[in-house]
């Protein structure tokens, strides 16, 4: 994989791993357009396009209505991982937000954020998709670069995987809870618990245990990308075998 492709994959991994991001919009306040930042829950679609579920009453919704250009900051650190948050990788994504009425995308967001189900059907809440623009990646000292939109978006055709995702998620949670727990504890070194699968995309799976989120990236295990259900099953079986063979730590 060349350097540009590797940077783009790192950007997508940062985006897909975060459950929350900082959303920057232009404040719709008369003739004065000033920066406005807010914290939002986020999910990513199959191509890594960010999905937001926000209220029409919120200030950032009014801002987007006036100017759809937005920026999202994805912070790859986390409070317990590094003493200096600025030493962690991060991505500032530029894009344009627009209303999205796709029920599959809404279901994907709610699966990642179960608490959102109680207000997802409210008339004043709407799903937005952020069309990916350029991204500014800060991955460490001397590793700072702009990544273009055509590189950032995952380009593979994942329609078959998207159609099968609800069935895959339901099957894994109902019949393979042990494998999910092993993914988290042995492959990701996360605390043991009742981990559940919330989503699968071409580049990895998303797990959740109570309020904790975890991301298992296929490429980190020399697997993927996954574009259809048969390949998904093979990868999940391979990961389960690898987790069982890994010494608990």
């Amino acid at each position: 994989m060349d350097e540009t492709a590797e940077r783009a994959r790192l950007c997508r991994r940062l985006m897909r791993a975060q459950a929350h991001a900082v959303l920057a919009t232009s404040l719709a306040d008369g003739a004065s357009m000033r920066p406005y930042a807010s914290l939002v829950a986020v999910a990513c679609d199959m191509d890594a396009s960010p999905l937001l579920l926000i209220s029409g009453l919120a200030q950032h919704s009014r801002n987007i209505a006036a100017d759809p250009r937005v920026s999202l900051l994805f912070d790859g650190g986390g409070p317990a991982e590094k003493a200096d948050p600025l030493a962690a990788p991060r991505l500032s994504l530029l894009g344009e937000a627009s209303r999205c009425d796709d029920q599959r995308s809404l279901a994907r967001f709610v699966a990642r954020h179960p608490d959102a189900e109680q207000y997802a059907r409210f008339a004043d809440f709407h799903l937005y998709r952020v069309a990916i623009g350029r991204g500014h990646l800060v991955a460490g000292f001397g590793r700072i670069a702009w990544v273009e939109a055509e590189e950032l978006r995952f380009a593979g055709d994942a329609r078959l995987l998207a159609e099968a995702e609800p069935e895959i998620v339901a099957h894994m949670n109902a019949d393979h809870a042990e494998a999910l727990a092993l993914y988290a504890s042995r492959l990701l070194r996360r605390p043991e618990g009742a981990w559940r699968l919330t989503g699968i995309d071409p580049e990895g799976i998303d797990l959740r245990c109570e309020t904790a989120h975890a991301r298992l990236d296929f490429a980190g295990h020399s697997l993927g990308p996954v574009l259809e259900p048969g390949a998904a099953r093979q990868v999940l079986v391979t990961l389960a075998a690898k987790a069982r063979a890994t010494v608990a730590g």
Side-chain angles (χ1 to χ4, degrees):
M1 182 179 294
D2 63 33
E3 185 177 355
T4 299
E6 177 59 29
R7 278 200 301 262
R9 191 179 67 80
L10 174 56
C11 289
R12 291 194 300 273
R13 187 166 71 238
L14 276 170
M15 293 163 62
R16 295 189 192 275
Q18 308 312 313
H20 295 84
V22 176
L23 171 67
T25 55
S26 295
L27 183 63
D29 183 18
S32 176
M33 301 294 282
R34 298 177 62 84
Y36 178 90
S38 52
L39 185 65
V40 293
V42 63
C44 285
D45 212 340
M46 293 288 164
D47 66 351
S49 296
L51 302 170
L52 313 173
L53 183 65
I54 52 181
S55 169
L57 302 177
Q59 181 64 55
H60 44 227
S61 295
R62 297 197 293 272
N63 297 346
I64 290 170
D67 184 347
R69 294 175 299 175
V70 301
S71 179
L72 284 163
L73 172 62
F74 294 91
D75 176 9
E81 293 186 23
K82 291 186 179 290
D84 180 6
L86 295 180
R90 55 198 179 273
L91 173 72
S92 295
L93 177 73
L94 308 181
E96 293 196 7
S98 61
R99 285 269 300 273
C100 173
D101 296 324
D102 180 35
Q103 293 302 303
R104 182 197 60 79
S105 299
L106 177 60
R108 184 162 231 278
F109 183 95
V110 171
R112 184 159 176 78
H113 299 280
D115 291 345
E117 187 171 10
Q118 61 185 318
Y119 54 82
R121 306 300 176 183
F122 289 179
D124 64 316
F125 273 82
H126 304 288
L127 187 71
Y128 285 77
R129 180 190 301 275
V130 178
I132 293 175
R134 302 176 75 200
H136 191 239
L137 174 67
V138 180
F141 183 76
R143 298 177 64 198
I144 301 173
W146 283 98
V147 183
E148 300 303 321
E150 58 271 17
E151 298 158 356
L152 266 175
R153 286 189 299 270
F154 179 81
D157 183 355
R159 285 176 293 181
L160 292 177
L161 181 65
E163 291 173 3
E165 182 184 26
E167 182 179 351
I168 293 171
V169 170
H171 171 68
M172 291 297 294
N173 287 329
D175 298 336
H176 299 287
E178 178 202 9
L180 298 176
L182 289 175
Y183 294 160
S185 64
R186 296 195 180 182
L187 298 183
L188 296 174
R189 303 298 180 184
R190 301 296 294 269
E192 293 186 0
W195 290 92
R196 294 179 61 79
L197 184 66
T198 63
I200 181 170
D201 58 70
E203 299 180 294
I205 58 174
D206 298 310
L207 303 168
R208 180 183 173 110
C209 180
E210 298 180 353
T211 60
H213 294 262
R215 172 75 181 176
L216 181 55
D217 192 61
F218 295 153
H221 299 275
S222 301
L223 298 169
V226 168
L227 299 178
E228 47 86 20
R233 181 183 184 282
Q234 182 176 355
V235 165
L236 293 171
V237 168
T238 299
L239 288 172
K242 184 173 184 177
R244 291 188 178 96
T246 301
V247 177

